[in-house]
Amino acid sequence: MASYDALRAEFEAFAAEQIAPFADEWDRNGAVPESAIRAMAEAGFLGLSIPEEFGGRGLDQRGVMLLNMAVGEACSSMRSLLTVHLALVSETIARWGTPEQKTRLLPDLASGRKIAAFALSEPLTGSDAKNVHTRYVRDGDRYRLTGRKKWTTFGQRADLFLVVADGEEGVCAFLLDRSKAGKSLLLGPLDGMLGTRASLVAEMEMSGCAVDERDVLGRRGLGFLQIVNTALDNGRFSVAAGCVGIARAALRAAAQHANTREQFGSKLRDFQLIRRRAAAIALDARTAALLCEDAAALRDGGSPKAIMRTAMAKYHASAAANRAADHAVQIHGALGCHESSPVQRYFRDARVMEIIEGSTEMQELLIGEQAIKNPDLIID
Amino acid sequence: MTANDNDQLKSDIRDYFKSNMGKDARFADGDDIFADGLVNSLFALQLVTFLEDSFKITVENDDLDLQNFRSVDAIADFVGRKRNNSAA
Ligand SMILES: Cc1cc2nc3c(=O)[nH]c(=O)nc-3n(C[C@H](O)[C@H](O)[C@H](O)COP(=O)(O)OP(=O)(O)OC[C@H]3O[C@@H](n4cnc5c(N)ncnc54)[C@H](O)[C@@H]3O)c2cc1C
């Protein structure tokens, strides 16, 4: 396997050449272009952590972290593709799919021939994710799905949806193939998001979409416990690392501006109040990275502590990205409020990170519960 | 697996339960920890990782029957079976 330094260099060079220069334009257009998704696929990024036997690059979670950091520094909308396609869906199939599902689905996902999205949230269901209203019913040897999903990142583009629905056998996770759904699946764009505006968010309406029995992911009735929890744990890790990218981007932009802009006859960098903000961004960028590295090591080591430490990394990194982007906007003054500077994009993108993959409040409840029950699990 | 191994296994599982439910949690080896609401839903996943990590088994999709994980007794039986299968 390539060294982590070499991987980081590869990912950062790709992001600097193929993503960062275009990220503001994609944000304004409200869409990452297909050519950019293809480039990600050709680089093997869409199957980075999928085993080589299924066409992926077979990298570990540390590799996944480095990729999310690099892409997240350049463009959070594009980084969201890694969260939904790779972390939430492909890695979850790799973990819990049947041998048949893995052989049939993972090669197309790993190569990016097919793009996947994760459909859990609904108009009436967000944080209380167990309480989905989308229903499934048995119809001979198939299931039929009916209901509405909302906020489905890359849903406008996806070929395959991991849909969470409730029914007779308890909550189940289904793999819905868009090409087979015909008119029973309506997809509409959800434009006008505050952040990650280019991530092709969709809303879905399913009216009796047929899904084969072989497309139930995980055990029947364990869709929440097994599939949603695994997926969100993977997703949280991806978002946490992406937030480190935002904080790093904010730091670079703030440093660049402080080094060039002059007021009162001095560069901004010479004012102590500006340095205080720079120090705050630096601390947030670094502490968020360290928590991600901690989570990556535990994940790669198969430790049961990994889930909690991943939640801690997501909780801290998403708040850290917000503070960092906020400071960067302040250091830029009016320029930070205008689309000619990317810091306004970092600020908007950071904001959604405290809401997705379990909001800040959900992480606080989870971490707080564990911290009180067993401080040792968190301290060690 | 000897009786001693089994006692050790149950003791490890009990310790792990306690570490997640709080030190003064009270439960018997046959108690259903999921039904009693003693654990949150993420605990199930943590438990799977704990079993894989501590007892060097691989939990597969087909193993994920809640009956295998409901209590100290059930988990000890499950781990015993997995070990026997992989030894066979
Ligand atoms: C950009 C973006 C992309 C997204 N992509 C996807 C996707 O791909 N797939 C998908 O399924 N979903 C997606 N979502 C939806 C996301 O998962 C939900 O927004 C999230 O779960 C929160 O749900 P909600 O927005 O309905 O807020 P609500 O659950 O209604 O919560 C509103 C507020 O109340 C707080 N709150 C709720 N319950 C409690 C409580 N018990 N104690 C204290 N505070 C509480 C929340 O933290 C939040 O601050 C996306 C959202 C955004 C913004």
Side-chain angles (χ1 to χ4, degrees):
Chain A
M1 203 207 287
S3 76
Y4 293 115
D5 286 345
L7 283 175
R8 182 172 173 175
E10 176 200 339
F11 301 155
E12 289 183 354
F14 180 96
E17 282 160 26
Q18 311 225 28
I19 303 178
F22 315 105
D24 284 319
E25 184 189 332
W26 299 343
D27 182 70
R28 277 194 295 276
N29 295 343
V32 298
E34 186 60 25
S35 56
I37 297 177
R38 288 296 106 226
M40 292 275 286
E42 276 155 29
F45 295 168
L46 300 186
L48 195 81
S49 46
I50 301 308
E52 283 166 307
E53 60 175 308
F54 301 116
R57 283 181 62 175
L59 292 187
D60 58 9
Q61 293 288 294
R62 194 176 173 83
V64 168
M65 175 190 81
L66 294 173
L67 180 62
N68 277 277
M69 286 176 175
V71 176
E73 185 172 334
C75 173
S76 292
S77 289
M78 185 57 103
R79 205 267 311 136
S80 302
L81 179 62
L82 295 175
T83 301
V84 297
H85 172 88
L86 181 60
L88 289 164
V89 182
S90 305
E91 287 185 357
T92 307
I93 295 174
R95 175 65 180 99
W96 291 121
T98 61
E100 187 276 326
Q101 286 169 335
K102 291 184 198 176
T103 313
R104 176 164 51 92
L105 299 169
L106 286 180
D108 280 348
L109 292 172
S111 65
R113 277 190 295 276
K114 285 194 174 162
I115 296 297
F118 183 73
L120 172 64
S121 303
E122 301 179 350
L124 298 178
T125 300
S127 304
D128 184 12
K130 225 181 280 184
N131 200 14
V132 286
H133 291 75
T134 297
R135 308 290 297 177
Y136 66 84
V137 288
R138 239 191 194 287
D139 177 16
D141 55 2
R142 295 190 299 189
Y143 290 91
R144 290 198 177 272
L145 305 178
T146 300
R148 289 178 63 198
K149 294 290 178 184
K150 203 168 177 183
W151 317 116
T152 315
T153 297
F154 279 93
Q156 294 178 41
R157 169 62 185 79
D159 306 290
L160 185 76
F161 295 87
L162 196 167
V163 178
V164 182
D166 202 358
E168 245 181 20
E169 297 166 84
V171 174
C172 289
F174 298 91
L175 295 162
L176 174 65
D177 185 333
R178 181 181 194 158
S179 69
K180 292 187 191 152
K183 287 188 179 135
S184 65
L185 173 62
L186 293 179
L187 284 160
L190 254 177
D191 295 331
M193 301 300 292
L194 169 73
T196 57
R197 290 173 69 92
S199 63
L200 299 171
V201 179
E203 48 188 340
M204 310 169 55
E205 187 162 341
M206 293 163 284
S207 29
C209 291
V211 183
D212 289 343
E213 191 148 8
R214 64 178 189 159
D215 285 322
V216 176
L217 180 61
R219 300 279 300 225
R220 287 193 195 84
L222 292 190
F224 193 82
L225 222 55
Q226 179 190 9
I227 301 302
V228 174
N229 277 335
T230 300
L232 291 179
D233 172 52
N234 297 339
R236 277 193 280 272
F237 183 64
S238 165
V239 170
C243 286
V244 173
I246 297 178
R248 287 178 177 171
L251 180 58
R252 284 190 213 284
Q256 206 263 341
H257 192 68
N259 276 322
T260 47
R261 175 77 172 170
E262 282 184 22
Q263 287 297 290
F264 300 99
S266 296
K267 294 276 196 305
L268 290 183
R269 67 174 177 229
D270 296 329
F271 302 126
Q272 289 183 330
L273 292 174
I274 296 290
R275 288 185 184 184
R276 183 169 69 179
R277 287 189 188 272
I281 307 177
L283 259 290
D284 269 331
R286 198 69 203 118
T287 50
L290 289 172
L291 280 177
C292 287
E293 285 168 16
D294 172 57
L298 292 168
R299 296 170 76 80
D300 284 328
S303 165
K305 292 178 185 164
I307 292 177
M308 199 50 59
R309 298 288 183 82
T310 298
M312 287 171 68
K314 193 275 176 180
Y315 171 58
H316 179 70
S318 57
N322 272 282
R323 289 190 294 265
D326 183 51
H327 286 310
V329 168
Q330 192 68 16
I331 289 173
H332 278 73
L335 201 57
C337 304
H338 188 259
E339 62 179 13
S340 54
S341 161
V343 294
Q344 48 79 32
R345 174 166 54 85
Y346 307 152
F347 182 79
R348 289 183 288 102
D349 287 347
R351 196 65 199 83
V352 305
M353 303 306 160
E354 282 202 60
I355 292 169
I356 59 173
E357 307 309 309
S359 65
T360 283
E361 286 76 10
M362 292 301 110
Q363 309 307 327
E364 283 173 333
L365 292 174
L366 187 73
I367 299 163
E369 181 190 354
Q370 190 79 56
I372 287 168
K373 279 184 178 166
N374 191 347
D376 290 344
L377 268 188
I378 294 195
I379 291 166
D380 290 341
Chain B
M1 196 163 58
T2 66
N4 262 351
D5 287 345
N6 201 37
D7 287 348
Q8 184 58 47
L9 186 61
K10 286 191 182 179
S11 156
D12 290 348
I13 297 165
R14 260 182 241 120
D15 286 348
Y16 188 66
F17 276 15
K18 282 195 183 146
S19 73
N20 278 273
M21 295 171 200
K23 290 209 164 39
D24 19 283
R26 295 271 166 271
F27 54 90
D29 284 359
D31 284 356
D32 183 337
I33 53 156
F34 288 98
D36 295 344
L38 286 168
V39 290
N40 64 30
S41 78
L42 269 188
F43 176 71
L45 268 195
Q46 278 172 328
L47 179 62
V48 166
T49 321
F50 164 74
L51 297 176
E52 292 188 325
D53 186 41
S54 306
F55 305 118
K56 307 296 167 232
I57 58 171
T58 304
V59 179
E60 278 145 323
N61 188 42
D62 285 345
D63 299 322
L64 278 187
D65 184 339
L66 270 191
Q67 298 305 338
N68 287 334
F69 301 98
R70 282 198 184 285
S71 63
V72 175
D73 285 341
I75 295 171
D77 282 351
F78 167 69
V79 172
R81 268 184 278 125
K82 284 297 277 190
R83 281 172 162 176
N84 286 342
N85 286 350
S86 61

